[in-house]
Amino acid sequence: MQFDIESIRFRGEPAYAEALRKMPGIEALSAKVFTNSAYIRRTLLASRLSIPESAAPDIYRTARELTRRFGINAPVELYQAASAENALIHFSVTPLLLEVRGHLPALLDKEAMAALLGRGIGHCLAHGANNPY
């Protein structure tokens, strides 16, 4: 069963998206953010640690399971940064670029990591390149 993001989308999103579209320079920024995966990956590799699947097989397995559940057909890459504990999604079409910060991989159990990754992947689904707004 395909996950239906529209069933939980914030009703105010069309109005906020319209307001954003009126901001100067937003189209150029949007194009850079959503279409230049190579630029985003270079930036990540210059300032973060790329986590290979062999170093975090459980996290990769969880991320792939979540993308499958959400109907996202893209490979996953994980990165780690030394800073306060947090997680981010970088908006590239493919691959799906997930970042964990601080000691999160060591601190979270499988369920908590799934919740954290699911939140990021959900943001990609809701606000990423396929967002109609």
Side-chain angles (χ1 to χ4, degrees), residues 43-121:
T43 301
L44 288 170
L45 288 169
S47 59
R48 280 116 171 130
L49 175 67
S50 174
I51 304 173
E53 186 168 357
S54 60
D58 291 341
I59 297 174
Y60 271 92
R61 191 175 309 110
T62 299
R64 279 196 302 272
E65 172 62 21
L66 289 167
T67 57
R68 185 190 62 74
R69 284 187 187 181
F70 287 152
I72 297 172
N73 186 21
V76 173
E77 289 183 12
L78 293 172
Y79 295 86
Q80 187 171 15
S83 67
E85 280 68 25
N86 198 358
L88 303 110
I89 184 83
H90 295 275
F91 289 121
S92 70
V93 176
T94 188
L96 195 61
L97 304 171
L98 300 169
E99 179 181 337
V100 291
R101 292 185 173 176
H103 301 298
L104 282 178
L107 294 174
L108 301 179
D109 63 17
K110 182 179 178 179
E111 290 78 19
M113 181 58 75
L116 188 71
L117 294 175
R119 175 185 158 269
I121 294 168

